[in-house]
Each structure stands twice: as structure tokens, then as C-alpha cells.
Amino acid sequence: MGSRNTSVLFFAAIALFLFLHFPSQTEATIPAELASKVCAQSEIHSYEICVKVLTANPKSLMVSSAKAVAENALDMARRETTVTSCFFAALLKRKDINPASRAALESCSSLFKQSVTFISLDGLSGGTASLDLHSALDKATLCKSKLSAAHVSIKSVSDKLEQWRNFYSVASAAVYAVENPEP
């Protein structure tokens, strides 16, 4: 009886390995085609970074339509916007922050918190997602201007803004692909 259980477990392990490492042709090609379409329109200069952002959400690997890619991209951009707002709020709690930088950091935290409301699936179904995303970009641009005016030069801040911009760019390109389908 032990030999039979071992054989069954061995077979199940092989089947699981094959399933995980060799997805069906449809599963393997649809996300790549959609990723190519989105990343070609993205403002991100590196295709690899675009794909990395796009596939950061495991759900992105199982989608089969441009709308589903856009929904996932918007969800990820919304989450990254929340994380960015929290990042600025956490910076404000540090004791070593220059008091002259504090107002700009507070403003950025608030602006990103406001931006979360602009990045939603409602805009995708209502046809206003690209306009909503642009409003979020305006808030991020205003944050960057306030940081520049206050002479804030913290590497982690510029890195966080760049990371947010990558998520924004992918979401924007995915929304564009849905709102302007190819003929």
C-alpha cells in the first residue's frame, strides 16, 4: 500500500510541475500580446520595467482582455498611490527631517491621498479613466514642484516618485488601449 501511495504522489508532483511550468498556449500568449500592446504605449522607457509593473499583480497573468489588463493596472496604480501617500506621511514622523522640507512633504502626502480617489474602476466603465488618471498625474506633478521649490533632495523621495510614475504610466497606457481600441 505504501508503494501505491508513493506512486500516486510522484505522479501528482509531476503533473503539478508540468502544469506550473508549461501553461496552455492560450494562457501563455494572451498576456504577452496584451502586455506588448500596453507597454508599446507606455511612457516607461524600458519594456522590461513595464512588463514587470504589469505583472506585479498575479491576476495580470490570467487575464484575457485589454479591459481586464486595464482594471488590474488601475488597481495596482491605486495601491501604489496609497503606498506613496503613506511613504510621505511616514517621512513626516522622522525626527531628522529638515523643518523647511516639512510643508512640502505634508503637501505631497495630502496630494497623493487625494489622488487615490481619481484612480478607480468607475472611470474605466464611465469612459473617464484617462481624464481621472491625468488628474492624479497633476497632483503628482504639483507634489514634485513643491519638493523642488523647498529644495528637498532625498533620494528615497525621488525613487518613490519614479516608482509611482511607472505604475501610473502602465495604468495610463492600459486605459488608453481600452478607450482607443485598434480597428
Side-chain angles (χ1 to χ4, degrees):
M1 188 134 108
S3 172
R4 181 177 172 166
N5 285 343
T6 304
S7 296
V8 169
L9 285 174
F10 182 73
F11 176 77
I14 291 174
L16 182 61
F17 174 81
L18 292 172
F19 175 76
L20 292 175
H21 291 290
F22 299 103
S24 73
Q25 186 65 20
T26 303
E27 290 175 337
T29 58
I30 291 176
E33 290 171 10
L34 293 173
S36 293
K37 186 183 293 186
V38 169
C39 291
Q41 296 174 8
S42 172
E43 295 176 9
I44 298 175
H45 301 291
S46 167
Y47 181 83
E48 290 79 22
I49 292 174
C50 179
V51 171
K52 183 178 177 183
V53 167
L54 200 54
T55 59
N57 183 345
K59 290 184 206 173
S60 297
L61 302 174
M62 298 179 275
V63 299
S64 60
S65 71
K67 185 173 182 187
V69 170
E71 288 170 350
N72 285 333
L74 283 167
D75 181 52
M76 290 184 295
R78 183 180 174 89
R79 288 181 197 186
E80 186 61 29
T81 302
T82 300
V83 167
T84 304
S85 176
C86 291
F87 168 81
F88 282 109
L91 274 180
L92 290 167
K93 293 178 182 176
R94 291 179 37 182
K95 303 291 183 213
D96 62 340
I97 292 297
N98 181 341
S101 303
R102 189 164 291 284
L105 295 171
E106 285 174 349
S107 180
C108 286
S109 179
S110 175
L111 288 165
F112 275 97
K113 193 173 189 175
Q114 293 169 30
S115 293
V116 171
T117 61
F118 291 113
I119 304 173
S120 72
L121 297 180
D122 294 340
L124 192 59
S125 60
T128 62
S130 57
L131 182 60
D132 295 344
L133 278 169
H134 193 74
S135 295
L137 178 62
D138 288 345
K139 301 279 185 193
T141 302
L142 182 56
C143 164
K144 205 170 181 177
S145 295
K146 289 183 180 271
L147 291 169
S148 180
H151 304 290
V152 176
S153 60
I154 303 170
K155 176 141 175 46
S156 61
V157 169
S158 48
D159 291 347
K160 178 48 82 178
L161 290 173
E162 181 67 27
Q163 183 176 355
W164 180 85
R165 180 66 185 225
N166 287 341
F167 279 89
Y168 160 82
S169 294
V170 170
S172 180
V175 165
Y176 183 85
V178 170
E179 291 180 350
N180 302 288
E182 293 179 356

